Amino acid sequence: RPLFQDAWERLQQSLSMLKDKGQRTVARLTVVKGWNSDEVSGYAKLVALGSVSLVEVKGVTFCGKSDASNLNMSNSPWHHEVVELVRTLQQELEKLREKDSSVPLYDIACEHKHSVSVLLARVDQFAVDDLATGKR
């Protein structure tokens, strides 16, 4: 239930404006198993729209029963499920990149198992050459 009737348009406009910020930008996706974990291609389109520098993907943390929410422990994804989702997100972004070369290339920068989070980073902004091998 968005607060504004044009909330979707506002979100898209905000994301498209991130491209021109000239500074690092971050998109954060909170994965709720059974609710939004199957919408990866849509997330890829939103990430591509903003060409964000970093994408933090985190599994929702269940904090106990609440009258404000009907989430339960089964909605909290395991770390390996979040990693799998991020790899699928990478594949979806690559498909978009094949059609539009302005879509940045992303790779996994780091992950934190205890936090159930994975960080994707733009290769053109953050990848460095390995001093030993000379490869990225």
Side-chain angles (χ1 to χ4, degrees):
R1 299 177 305 234
L3 185 59
F4 302 101
Q5 286 185 335
D6 63 343
W8 180 246
E9 291 78 15
R10 288 181 184 209
L11 173 65
Q12 291 176 311
Q13 183 181 20
S14 294
L15 286 171
S16 66
M17 293 172 78
L18 291 178
K19 286 182 185 180
D20 303 322
K21 279 308 233 184
Q23 60 194 28
R24 281 185 258 182
T25 54
V26 181
R28 183 172 191 208
L29 307 175
T30 301
V31 180
V32 183
K33 189 168 34 171
W35 282 28
N36 66 353
S37 55
D38 60 346
E39 301 170 4
V40 181
S41 64
Y43 289 127
K45 290 175 186 169
L46 292 174
V47 168
L49 184 61
S51 293
V52 295
S53 305
L54 301 160
V55 182
E56 180 191 26
V57 183
K58 183 172 181 2
V60 71
T61 302
F62 178 67
C63 296
K65 183 161 174 35
S66 165
D67 292 336
S69 170
N70 59 356
L71 291 179
N72 59 52
M73 195 61 191
S74 69
N75 297 115
S76 297
W78 294 96
H79 181 70
H80 70 88
E81 294 171 314
V82 173
V83 171
E84 183 179 322
L85 185 139
V86 168
R87 292 206 172 135
T88 304
L89 178 60
Q90 271 185 283
Q91 292 169 357
E92 292 296 324
L93 284 162
E94 186 57 36
K95 288 177 190 175
L96 294 173
R97 185 177 161 80
E98 289 170 3
K99 296 175 186 171
D100 178 359
S101 63
S102 71
V103 175
L105 179 64
Y106 291 89
D107 202 358
I108 293 177
C110 63
E111 56 184 281
H112 191 262
K113 191 172 185 177
H114 180 74
S115 299
V116 193
S117 62
V118 180
L119 185 69
L120 275 180
R122 281 179 56 162
V123 172
D124 63 324
Q125 291 180 350
F126 295 100
V128 293
D129 294 337
D130 184 311
L131 295 176
T133 65
K135 297 180 182 177
R136 279 203 172 175

